[in-house]
Amino acid sequence: MAAKNIMIVGVGGQGTLLTSRILGGLAIAGGYDVKLSEVHGMAQRGGSVVTFVRYGDKVAEPIVEEGQADVIIAFERLEALRYAHFLKKDGALIINDWRIDPMPVVIGAAQYPENIIETLGEEHRVYTLNATEEAKKIGNPRVFNLIVLGVAAQHMDFTKEQWYEVIEKTVPPKTIEINKKAFDVGYHL
């Protein structure tokens, strides 16, 4: 299998690192060679966080080059816009329709772009959901990342049972059931 390139982009505290660990664990369990790379901006202050997950028969390096991502999972609209140029022409861009103002917007030095999802949809295959609101409906807004991951799972070659096994091994024990429930919500959207 040729290398599959996944990017997870978001803002510090949104679970990008946990999500990359789940994906990496899933690929390892599937018998693939896996490379992970994490790029932290000022994550604790709401800065951009990017993780790369590459898996296949043989993967030489962890970084995804521009125009090579098969799937980009974006936990926030502006982060989707910031990294969309990494997506392949036939790749899938999965966006949590949520807005988090970066510091320049907060202090009035910049404006948050309008119509981000519509603009991205002109050039890319975009799947949008409001995972944050969906997570609130099941009782825990912090599991929105597993809802987005459930949508992304539809674009990967792993069974639902394989996803469950890795989620159970990766998330804290007391959160296993809510995380699996969140994954299911996204998987069935």
Side-chain angles (χ1 to χ4, degrees), residues 56-118:
D57 291 334
K58 182 69 178 146
V59 177
E61 62 182 35
I63 304 297
V64 175
E65 301 291 331
E66 290 184 20
Q68 297 302 307
D70 296 289
V71 178
I72 296 178
I73 300 167
F75 291 150
E76 196 273 342
R77 286 181 285 204
L78 186 57
E79 296 303 309
L81 180 64
R82 187 183 322 260
Y83 293 102
H85 64 283
F86 279 87
L87 195 64
K88 284 182 176 178
K89 288 287 183 203
D90 60 343
L93 179 56
I94 300 157
I95 305 172
N96 180 29
D97 189 4
W98 196 252
R99 174 180 170 160
I100 298 175
D101 289 347
M103 193 53 64
V105 172
V106 171
I107 64 172
Q111 291 200 352
Y112 195 94
E114 298 295 323
N115 305 313
I116 290 173
I117 293 171
E118 294 80 3

Coordinates of all heavy atoms in Angstrom, one line a residue, residues 56-118:
G56 N 1.7 3.2 5.7 CA 1.7 2.4 4.5 C 2.6 1.3 4.7 O 3.1 1.0 5.8
D57 N 2.9 0.6 3.6 CA 3.9 -0.5 3.6 C 5.2 -0.1 4.1 O 5.9 -0.7 4.9 CB 4.0 -1.2 2.3 CG 2.7 -1.9 1.9 OD1 1.9 -2.3 2.8 OD2 2.4 -2.1 0.7
K58 N 5.7 1.0 3.6 CA 7.0 1.6 4.0 C 6.9 3.1 4.0 O 6.6 3.7 2.9 CB 8.1 1.1 3.1 CG 9.5 1.6 3.5 CD 9.9 1.0 4.8 CE 11.3 1.4 5.2 NZ 11.5 1.6 6.6
V59 N 7.1 3.8 5.1 CA 7.0 5.2 5.2 C 8.4 5.8 5.6 O 9.0 5.4 6.6 CB 6.0 5.7 6.2 CG1 5.9 7.2 6.3 CG2 4.6 5.2 5.8
A60 N 9.0 6.6 4.7 CA 10.3 7.1 5.0 C 10.4 8.3 6.0 O 11.3 8.4 6.8 CB 11.0 7.5 3.7
E61 N 9.4 9.2 5.9 CA 9.5 10.4 6.8 C 8.1 10.8 7.2 O 7.1 10.4 6.6 CB 10.1 11.5 6.0 CG 9.4 12.0 4.8 CD 10.0 13.1 4.0 OE1 11.3 13.1 4.0 OE2 9.3 13.9 3.5
P62 N 8.0 11.5 8.3 CA 6.8 11.8 8.9 C 6.0 13.0 8.4 O 4.8 13.2 8.6 CB 7.1 12.1 10.4 CG 8.5 12.6 10.4 CD 9.2 11.9 9.2
I63 N 6.7 13.9 7.6 CA 6.1 15.1 7.2 C 5.3 14.9 5.9 O 5.8 14.3 5.0 CB 7.2 16.2 7.0 CG1 8.0 16.4 8.3 CG2 6.6 17.5 6.5 CD1 7.3 16.9 9.5
V64 N 4.1 15.5 5.9 CA 3.3 15.5 4.6 C 3.7 16.8 3.9 O 3.6 17.9 4.4 CB 1.8 15.5 5.0 CG1 1.0 15.6 3.8 CG2 1.5 14.3 5.8
E65 N 4.0 16.6 2.6 CA 4.3 17.8 1.7 C 3.1 18.5 1.2 O 2.0 17.8 1.2 CB 5.2 17.3 0.5 CG 6.4 16.6 0.9 CD 7.5 17.5 1.5 OE1 7.5 18.7 1.1 OE2 8.3 17.0 2.3
E66 N 3.2 19.7 0.8 CA 2.1 20.4 0.3 C 1.5 19.7 -0.9 O 2.2 19.1 -1.7 CB 2.5 21.8 -0.2 CG 2.9 22.7 1.0 CD 3.2 24.2 0.6 OE1 2.9 24.6 -0.6 OE2 3.8 24.9 1.4
G67 N 0.2 19.6 -1.0 CA -0.5 18.9 -2.1 C -0.5 17.4 -2.0 O -0.9 16.7 -2.9
Q68 N -0.1 16.9 -0.8 CA 0.0 15.4 -0.7 C -1.0 14.8 0.3 O -1.0 13.6 0.5 CB 1.4 15.0 -0.4 CG 2.4 15.4 -1.5 CD 2.0 14.7 -2.8 OE1 1.8 13.5 -2.9 NE2 1.8 15.5 -3.9
A69 N -1.7 15.6 1.1 CA -2.6 15.0 2.1 C -3.8 14.4 1.5 O -4.5 15.0 0.7 CB -3.0 16.1 3.1
D70 N -4.0 13.1 1.9 CA -5.3 12.4 1.5 C -6.5 12.9 2.2 O -7.6 13.0 1.7 CB -5.1 10.9 1.7 CG -4.0 10.3 0.8 OD1 -4.2 10.2 -0.4 OD2 -3.0 10.0 1.4
V71 N -6.3 13.2 3.5 CA -7.3 13.7 4.4 C -6.8 14.8 5.3 O -5.7 14.6 5.8 CB -7.9 12.6 5.3 CG1 -9.0 13.1 6.2 CG2 -8.5 11.4 4.4
I72 N -7.5 15.9 5.4 CA -7.2 16.9 6.4 C -8.4 16.9 7.4 O -9.5 17.1 6.9 CB -6.9 18.3 5.8 CG1 -5.6 18.2 5.0 CG2 -6.7 19.3 7.0 CD1 -5.3 19.6 4.3
I73 N -8.1 16.7 8.6 CA -9.1 16.9 9.7 C -8.9 18.2 10.4 O -7.8 18.4 11.0 CB -9.0 15.7 10.7 CG1 -9.1 14.3 10.0 CG2 -9.9 15.9 11.8 CD1 -8.7 13.2 10.8
A74 N -9.8 19.1 10.2 CA -9.7 20.4 10.8 C -10.7 20.6 11.9 O -11.9 20.5 11.7 CB -9.9 21.5 9.7
F75 N -10.2 20.9 13.1 CA -11.1 21.1 14.3 C -11.6 22.6 14.4 O -12.3 22.9 15.3 CB -10.3 20.8 15.5 CG -10.0 19.3 15.7 CD1 -8.9 18.9 16.4 CD2 -10.9 18.3 15.1 CE1 -8.7 17.5 16.5 CE2 -10.6 17.0 15.3 CZ -9.5 16.6 16.0
E76 N -11.2 23.4 13.4 CA -11.6 24.8 13.5 C -11.5 25.3 12.0 O -10.7 25.0 11.3 CB -10.7 25.6 14.4 CG -11.2 27.0 14.9 CD -10.9 28.1 13.9 OE1 -9.9 27.9 13.1 OE2 -11.5 29.1 14.0
R77 N -12.5 26.2 11.7 CA -12.5 26.7 10.3 C -11.3 27.4 9.8 O -10.8 27.2 8.7 CB -13.7 27.8 10.1 CG -15.0 27.2 10.2 CD -16.1 28.3 10.0 NE -16.2 29.0 11.3 CZ -17.2 29.7 11.7 NH1 -18.2 29.8 10.9 NH2 -17.2 30.3 12.8
L78 N -10.7 28.4 10.5 CA -9.6 29.1 10.1 C -8.3 28.2 9.9 O -7.6 28.4 9.0 CB -9.2 30.2 11.1 CG -8.1 31.2 10.7 CD1 -8.4 31.8 9.3 CD2 -7.9 32.3 11.7
E79 N -8.2 27.2 10.8 CA -7.1 26.2 10.6 C -7.3 25.4 9.3 O -6.3 25.1 8.7 CB -7.0 25.3 11.8 CG -6.7 26.0 13.1 CD -5.4 26.8 13.0 OE1 -4.4 26.2 12.6 OE2 -5.4 28.0 13.4
A80 N -8.5 25.1 8.9 CA -8.8 24.4 7.6 C -8.3 25.3 6.5 O -7.6 24.8 5.6 CB -10.3 24.1 7.5
L81 N -8.6 26.6 6.6 CA -8.2 27.5 5.5 C -6.6 27.6 5.5 O -6.0 27.6 4.4 CB -8.8 28.9 5.8 CG -8.4 30.0 4.8 CD1 -9.0 29.6 3.4 CD2 -9.0 31.3 5.2
R82 N -6.0 27.7 6.7 CA -4.6 27.9 6.8 C -3.8 26.7 6.1 O -2.8 26.9 5.6 CB -4.2 28.0 8.3 CG -2.8 28.3 8.5 CD -2.5 28.4 10.0 NE -3.4 28.9 10.9 CZ -3.4 30.1 11.4 NH1 -2.5 31.0 11.1 NH2 -4.4 30.5 12.2
Y83 N -4.4 25.5 6.2 CA -3.6 24.3 5.8 C -4.2 23.6 4.5 O -3.7 22.5 4.1 CB -3.5 23.3 6.9 CG -2.6 23.9 8.0 CD1 -3.1 24.4 9.2 CD2 -1.2 23.9 7.8 CE1 -2.3 25.0 10.1 CE2 -0.4 24.5 8.8 CZ -0.9 25.0 10.0 OH -0.1 25.5 10.9
A84 N -5.2 24.1 3.9 CA -5.9 23.5 2.8 C -5.0 23.2 1.6 O -5.2 22.3 0.9 CB -7.1 24.3 2.3
H85 N -3.9 24.0 1.5 CA -3.0 23.8 0.3 C -2.2 22.5 0.5 O -1.5 22.1 -0.5 CB -2.0 25.0 0.2 CG -1.1 25.2 1.4 ND1 -1.6 25.8 2.6 CD2 0.2 25.0 1.6 CE1 -0.6 25.9 3.4 NE2 0.5 25.4 2.8
F86 N -2.3 21.8 1.6 CA -1.6 20.5 1.8 C -2.4 19.4 1.2 O -2.0 18.3 1.0 CB -1.4 20.2 3.2 CG -0.1 20.9 3.8 CD1 -0.2 22.2 4.3 CD2 1.1 20.3 3.8 CE1 0.9 22.8 4.8 CE2 2.2 20.9 4.3 CZ 2.1 22.2 4.8
L87 N -3.7 19.7 0.9 CA -4.6 18.6 0.4 C -4.4 18.3 -1.1 O -4.2 19.1 -1.9 CB -6.1 19.1 0.6 CG -7.2 18.1 0.5 CD1 -7.1 17.1 1.6 CD2 -8.5 18.8 0.5
K88 N -4.5 16.9 -1.4 CA -4.4 16.5 -2.8 C -5.7 16.9 -3.5 O -6.7 17.2 -2.9 CB -4.4 14.9 -2.8 CG -3.2 14.3 -2.4 CD -3.3 12.7 -2.5 CE -2.0 12.0 -2.3 NZ -2.2 10.6 -2.3
K89 N -5.6 16.9 -4.8 CA -6.8 17.3 -5.6 C -8.0 16.5 -5.3 O -9.1 17.0 -5.2 CB -6.5 17.2 -7.1 CG -5.5 18.3 -7.6 CD -6.2 19.6 -7.6 CE -5.2 20.7 -8.2 NZ -5.6 22.0 -7.8
D90 N -7.9 15.2 -5.0 CA -9.0 14.3 -4.8 C -9.1 14.0 -3.3 O -9.8 13.1 -2.9 CB -8.9 13.1 -5.6 CG -7.6 12.3 -5.2 OD1 -6.7 12.8 -4.7 OD2 -7.6 11.1 -5.6
G91 N -8.4 14.8 -2.4 CA -8.4 14.5 -1.0 C -9.7 15.0 -0.3 O -10.5 15.8 -0.9
A92 N -9.9 14.7 0.9 CA -11.1 15.0 1.7 C -10.7 16.0 2.8 O -9.7 15.8 3.5 CB -11.8 13.8 2.3
L93 N -11.4 17.1 2.9 CA -11.2 18.1 3.9 C -12.4 18.1 4.9 O -13.5 18.4 4.4 CB -11.1 19.5 3.3 CG -10.9 20.7 4.2 CD1 -9.7 20.5 5.1 CD2 -10.7 22.0 3.3
I94 N -12.2 17.6 6.1 CA -13.3 17.4 7.0 C -13.1 18.6 8.1 O -12.1 18.7 8.8 CB -13.2 16.1 7.7 CG1 -13.3 15.0 6.6 CG2 -14.3 15.9 8.8 CD1 -12.7 13.7 7.0
I95 N -14.2 19.4 8.2 CA -14.1 20.6 9.0 C -15.1 20.6 10.1 O -16.3 20.5 9.8 CB -14.3 21.9 8.1 CG1 -13.3 21.9 6.9 CG2 -14.2 23.1 8.9 CD1 -13.5 23.0 5.9
N96 N -14.7 20.9 11.3 CA -15.6 21.2 12.4 C -16.0 22.6 12.2 O -15.1 23.5 12.3 CB -14.9 21.0 13.7 CG -15.8 21.3 14.9 OD1 -17.0 21.2 14.8 ND2 -15.2 21.7 16.0
D97 N -17.2 22.9 12.0 CA -17.7 24.3 11.7 C -17.7 25.0 13.0 O -18.8 25.2 13.7 CB -19.0 24.3 11.0 CG -19.5 25.6 10.6 OD1 -18.7 26.6 10.7 OD2 -20.6 25.7 10.1
W98 N -16.5 25.5 13.5 CA -16.4 26.2 14.8 C -15.4 27.3 14.6 O -14.5 27.2 13.8 CB -15.9 25.2 15.8 CG -16.1 25.6 17.2 CD1 -15.1 26.0 18.1 CD2 -17.3 25.8 17.9 NE1 -15.6 26.4 19.3 CE2 -17.0 26.2 19.2 CE3 -18.6 25.5 17.6 CZ2 -18.0 26.5 20.2 CZ3 -19.6 25.8 18.6 CH2 -19.3 26.2 19.8
R99 N -15.6 28.3 15.3 CA -14.7 29.5 15.2 C -14.1 29.8 16.5 O -14.7 29.9 17.6 CB -15.6 30.7 14.8 CG -14.8 32.0 14.8 CD -15.6 33.2 14.4 NE -14.9 34.4 14.6 CZ -15.3 35.6 14.1 NH1 -16.3 35.6 13.2 NH2 -14.6 36.7 14.3
I100 N -12.7 29.9 16.5 CA -11.9 30.3 17.6 C -11.1 31.5 17.1 O -10.2 31.3 16.3 CB -11.1 29.2 18.2 CG1 -11.9 28.0 18.7 CG2 -10.2 29.7 19.3 CD1 -11.2 26.8 19.1
D101 N -11.3 32.6 17.7 CA -10.5 33.8 17.2 C -9.1 33.7 17.7 O -8.8 33.6 18.9 CB -11.2 35.1 17.8 CG -12.5 35.4 17.1 OD1 -12.8 34.8 16.1 OD2 -13.2 36.3 17.6
P102 N -8.2 33.9 16.7 CA -6.7 33.9 17.1 C -6.4 35.3 17.8 O -7.2 36.2 17.6 CB -6.0 33.7 15.8 CG -7.0 34.2 14.8 CD -8.3 33.9 15.3
M103 N -5.3 35.4 18.5 CA -5.0 36.6 19.2 C -5.0 37.8 18.3 O -5.6 38.9 18.8 CB -3.6 36.4 19.9 CG -3.3 37.5 20.9 SD -4.6 37.7 22.2 CE -4.6 36.2 23.0
P104 N -4.5 37.9 17.1 CA -4.6 39.1 16.3 C -6.1 39.6 16.1 O -6.4 40.8 16.1 CB -4.0 38.8 15.0 CG -3.0 37.7 15.3 CD -3.7 36.9 16.4
V105 N -7.0 38.7 16.0 CA -8.4 39.0 15.9 C -8.9 39.5 17.2 O -9.7 40.5 17.3 CB -9.3 37.8 15.4 CG1 -10.8 38.1 15.4 CG2 -8.8 37.4 14.0
V106 N -8.6 38.8 18.3 CA -9.0 39.2 19.6 C -8.6 40.7 20.0 O -9.4 41.4 20.5 CB -8.5 38.2 20.7 CG1 -8.8 38.8 22.1 CG2 -9.1 36.9 20.5
I107 N -7.4 41.0 19.6 CA -6.9 42.4 20.0 C -7.2 43.4 18.9 O -6.9 44.6 19.0 CB -5.4 42.4 20.2 CG1 -4.6 42.0 19.0 CG2 -5.0 41.5 21.4 CD1 -3.1 42.2 19.2
G108 N -7.9 43.0 17.8 CA -8.4 44.0 16.8 C -7.4 44.3 15.7 O -7.6 45.2 14.9
A109 N -6.3 43.6 15.7 CA -5.2 43.8 14.7 C -5.5 43.1 13.3 O -4.9 43.4 12.3 CB -3.9 43.3 15.2
A110 N -6.5 42.2 13.3 CA -6.9 41.5 12.1 C -8.4 41.1 12.2 O -9.0 41.2 13.3 CB -6.0 40.2 12.0
Q111 N -8.9 40.7 11.1 CA -10.3 40.3 11.0 C -10.4 38.8 10.7 O -9.6 38.3 9.9 CB -11.1 41.1 10.0 CG -11.3 42.5 10.4 CD -12.4 43.2 9.7 OE1 -13.0 42.6 8.7 NE2 -12.8 44.4 10.1
Y112 N -11.3 38.1 11.3 CA -11.5 36.7 11.0 C -12.1 36.6 9.6 O -13.1 37.3 9.3 CB -12.5 36.1 12.0 CG -12.5 34.6 12.0 CD1 -11.7 33.9 12.9 CD2 -13.4 33.9 11.2 CE1 -11.7 32.5 13.0 CE2 -13.4 32.5 11.3 CZ -12.6 31.8 12.1 OH -12.6 30.5 12.2
P113 N -11.6 35.8 8.7 CA -12.1 35.8 7.3 C -13.6 35.3 7.3 O -14.0 34.4 8.1 CB -11.2 34.7 6.6 CG -10.0 34.7 7.5 CD -10.4 35.0 8.9
E114 N -14.3 35.8 6.4 CA -15.7 35.4 6.2 C -15.8 34.2 5.2 O -14.9 34.1 4.3 CB -16.6 36.6 5.7 CG -16.6 37.7 6.7 CD -17.3 37.4 8.0 OE1 -18.3 36.7 7.9 OE2 -16.9 37.9 9.0
N115 N -16.9 33.5 5.2 CA -17.2 32.4 4.2 C -16.1 31.4 4.0 O -15.8 31.0 2.8 CB -17.6 33.1 2.9 CG -18.8 34.1 3.1 OD1 -19.7 33.8 3.7 ND2 -18.6 35.3 2.5
I116 N -15.4 31.0 5.0 CA -14.3 30.1 4.9 C -14.7 28.8 4.2 O -14.1 28.3 3.3 CB -13.6 29.9 6.2 CG1 -12.9 31.1 6.7 CG2 -12.6 28.7 6.2 CD1 -12.3 31.0 8.1
I117 N -15.7 28.2 4.7 CA -16.2 26.9 4.3 C -16.6 27.0 2.8 O -16.2 26.1 2.0 CB -17.2 26.3 5.2 CG1 -16.6 26.0 6.5 CG2 -17.9 25.1 4.6 CD1 -17.5 25.6 7.6
E118 N -17.3 28.0 2.5 CA -17.8 28.2 1.1 C -16.6 28.3 0.1 O -16.5 27.8 -0.9 CB -18.7 29.3 1.0 CG -20.1 29.2 1.7 CD -20.0 29.5 3.2 OE1 -18.9 29.9 3.7 OE2 -21.0 29.3 3.9

